[in-house]
Amino acid sequence: MAVFLIPFLIILGIFAFEARDELVGRLDFLLPDFRLPVRESEPSAAAPPQQSILRQGPPEAPSPPLQEQGANVYADWIEISSVRRQDPYLITLRTDIPKGSELILTGWSLESRVQTFKVPQGVKLVPAGLDGAVFAPIVLEWGDSVKISGAQNPFKPKFSFRPNACFGYLKETTEFPVSVPSSCPSDIPKIEGVSHLSPACQDFILDFDRCKEPPPYPATSSFANDLQCKNFYENLKFQLSYAGCVKTHKTEDDFFDNEWHIYVNEEERLIRSTHDRILLKDPDGVIIDEYVY
C-alpha cells in the first residue's frame, strides 16, 4: 500500500512548492513590521566662550588736532634764520626738509607788527625775454632756502623766481638786489672745435667772453666775407645767450639754484628797522616759527 502512496506524495510536494510564494506573502501581511525604537541623542549645549586671560591695555590717546600736527612737522622743516633790517631789508628762511619730501610755501605768511605778507606763486624757469612766464606754487625741497626782499623787483612784470645756471647772461642787462649766480656753463668752443676755420676767424671766436653774448660780426675784418666763419658765428651766437643756454642745459640736475627769491611790494615795508617780531605761519594760520630782534 505504501507503494501506491508515493505518486500522491510527489504531486502534493509539487503543489506545495508552487504555493510557497503566496504563503510567504500572506505571512508578511499577517505579521506587521516590528522595529525597536531608536532614541535620538539630544544636541549638546554650546560651550560658553572662554574668556581671554590677557588684560586689555589702556585706551589709545586721541590724535592731536591737525594744526598741532602741522606745527610739530613744519617746525623741524623751516625756520627764519636771519633778518637784515637795513634797506633793502632781507629775510632768509632756512629749511631742513627730508629728502623725497616737499613743502609748498605759497599760501604761507610772514606777519610783523606792522604788515602781513602772504607768499605768492612764483616762476621757476625765467623765460627769455620774460614772455610766457608760467606761474605755479613755490615748492621747496631738500637743501632749499628762501630770500624775501623788500628791494625793487628786478623783473617787469614783477614775479618771484628761482635763479638758474644761465643767470650770468641776465646780469649783463639786469640789476639783482639779491645776489644770483654770475657764472654760467662754458659753451665757448675750444681750439679743437674751430680748427677747421681760418686762423683769423679762430682768433675772433676764441676771444669771446664767458657769460656774455658775442659781439657783432665784424663787417670790415679780413674774414668779413668768409661764409664758413659767418655761418659758424650765427649758430654759436644763439648758443651763447640766455635763451640758448636755457635750451641746452635746463634738463641738467644742477641747472636750478637751491634758492627762491621772493620780492615784497616795495611800497609797503614789511618789517620795522628798529625792533620787531616776525611770525612765520602756515596756510592754516599756525605759528611755525618766531624771530624777535
Side-chain angles (χ1 to χ4, degrees), residues 205-228:
I205 291 175
L206 294 175
D207 197 40
F208 290 167
D209 292 325
R210 188 173 179 176
C211 300
K212 290 185 178 181
E213 295 187 5
Y217 191 80
T220 58
S221 64
S222 60
F223 52 89
N225 297 322
D226 186 340
L227 292 180
Q228 187 180 32

Side-chain angles (χ1 to χ4, degrees), residues 61 77 90 100 132 160 166 208:
W77 283 21
L90 182 68
S160 300
C166 298
F208 290 167

Side-chain angles (χ1 to χ4, degrees), residues 69 230 235:
Q69 292 182 29
K230 192 170 185 178
N235 293 330

Side-chain angles (χ1 to χ4, degrees), residues 11 14 43 55 98 101 107 114 149 189 211 247 249 255 288 292-293:
I11 295 172
I14 294 172
R55 291 182 298 174
S101 300
V114 292
S149 174
C211 300
K247 183 178 180 180
H249 300 283
F255 175 72
I288 304 301
V292 180
Y293 63 89

Side-chain angles (χ1 to χ4, degrees), residues 14-123:
I14 294 172
F15 177 80
F17 180 80
E18 292 178 351
R20 74 186 189 283
D21 292 335
E22 182 179 354
L23 180 61
V24 172
R26 290 180 179 180
L27 289 174
D28 289 341
F29 175 77
L30 295 174
L31 297 176
D33 187 14
F34 180 77
R35 297 179 183 177
L36 293 175
V38 179
R39 183 178 180 182
E40 296 182 358
S41 60
E42 296 181 357
S44 58
Q50 296 183 355
Q51 295 183 353
S52 173
I53 61 175
L54 297 178
R55 291 182 298 174
Q56 294 183 352
E60 296 183 0
S63 300
L66 291 178
Q67 289 189 350
E68 184 178 341
Q69 292 182 29
N72 291 338
V73 172
Y74 294 137
D76 296 329
W77 283 21
I78 188 168
E79 66 177 0
I80 304 172
S81 61
S82 65
V83 175
R84 186 182 68 197
R85 294 177 282 174
Q86 295 77 16
D87 287 331
Y89 63 85
L90 182 68
I91 303 171
T92 301
L93 305 181
R94 181 174 57 195
T95 68
D96 188 17
I97 301 172
K99 289 186 177 181
S101 300
E102 60 182 27
L103 187 155
I104 300 176
L105 191 63
T106 297
W108 287 53
S109 60
L110 284 171
E111 181 180 310
S112 70
R113 298 187 185 277
V114 292
Q115 289 288 346
T116 297
F117 171 72
K118 182 168 287 189
V119 178
Q121 291 187 328
V123 176

